[in-house]
């Protein structure tokens, strides 16, 4: 099937593409709910220059989290596994503070300071999701992460 778009007259395919794009953004006719910028204060100070999460409709976008011990910027000792456990605990805390759970997570992006620790991260990560219902996920290696963290994780949740 070959679809051709003409700028001079609207086509069904072009209108369908615009509608799909609008739905992907959570926008529909009559949906005028502005984004909510959320900070629970349960993990990081609310004075940092970013929101813990932003809610758009039924979708919650979490900022990247490191495995800091809540209320501090200190990381647990022991390397990637304790940090991975703490980052996932932090993600769960943030989700629950805003009415979501790990069951609502649909996408994660993992950033690792050392890609050779990928398997160790996965060992911890897979224990947080039930019945093999894993979110879609991307991962990449980073030259450095905030506070010399080994892992940073950001997630999107939807109801």
């Amino acid at each position: 099937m070959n679809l051709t778009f003409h700028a001079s007259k609207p086509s069904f395919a072009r209108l369908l593409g615009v509608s799909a794009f609008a739905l992907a953004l959570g926008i529909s006719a009559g949906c005028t709910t502005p984004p909510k910028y959320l900070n629970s204060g349960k993990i990081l100070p609310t004075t940092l220059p970013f929101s813990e999460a932003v809610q758009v409709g039924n979708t919650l976008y979490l900022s990247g989290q490191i495995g800091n011990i809540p209320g501090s910027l200190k990381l647990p000792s022991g390397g990637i596994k304790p940090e991975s456990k703490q980052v996932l605990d932090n993600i769960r805390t943030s989700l629950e503070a805003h009415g979501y759970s790990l069951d609502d997570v649909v996408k994660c992006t993992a950033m690792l300071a050392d890609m050779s620790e990928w398997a160790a991260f996965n060992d911890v990560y897979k224990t947080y999701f039930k019945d093999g219902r894993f979110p879609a996920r991307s991962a990449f290696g980073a030259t450095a992460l905030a506070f010399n963290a080994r892992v940073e994780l950001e997630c999107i949740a939807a109801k």
Side-chain angles (χ1 to χ4, degrees):
M1 177 185 225
N2 184 8
L3 297 176
T4 305
F5 297 103
H6 300 281
S8 61
K9 56 183 173 177
S11 68
F12 176 73
R14 191 166 104 209
L15 292 173
L16 181 61
V18 170
S19 295
F21 179 71
L23 287 174
L25 291 175
I27 301 168
S28 65
C31 179
T32 58
T33 306
K36 295 178 187 173
Y37 299 88
L38 308 168
N39 285 301
S40 70
K42 293 184 176 191
I43 300 161
L44 290 171
T46 59
T47 57
L48 295 174
F50 58 89
S51 296
E52 177 181 318
V54 175
Q55 185 177 7
V56 180
N58 292 328
T59 304
L60 188 70
Y61 300 88
L62 296 180
S63 288
Q65 301 244 359
I66 60 171
N68 64 291
I69 298 164
S72 76
L73 296 176
K74 294 183 181 184
L75 299 168
S77 60
I80 188 71
K81 284 195 174 190
E83 282 188 45
S84 297
K85 181 183 179 327
Q86 187 63 58
V87 76
L88 283 151
D89 288 345
N90 291 353
I91 294 286
R92 180 174 37 219
T93 297
S94 182
L95 288 165
E96 290 173 355
H98 304 297
Y100 289 74
S101 74
L102 285 170
D103 291 340
D104 299 317
V105 175
V106 295
K107 173 75 169 93
C108 292
T109 302
M111 295 148 269
L112 299 168
D114 184 347
M115 287 302 289
S116 72
E117 296 179 322
W118 179 243
F121 169 74
N122 277 333
D123 287 344
V124 176
Y125 179 87
K126 65 185 176 186
T127 67
Y128 280 78
F129 298 95
K130 296 181 207 168
D131 304 322
R133 292 183 50 188
F134 298 111
R137 188 174 74 182
S138 303
F140 54 89
T143 303
L145 297 171
F147 304 101
N148 293 316
R150 307 300 308 151
V151 61
E152 181 172 342
L153 189 65
E154 71 175 30
C155 299
I156 300 170
K159 288 192 176 205

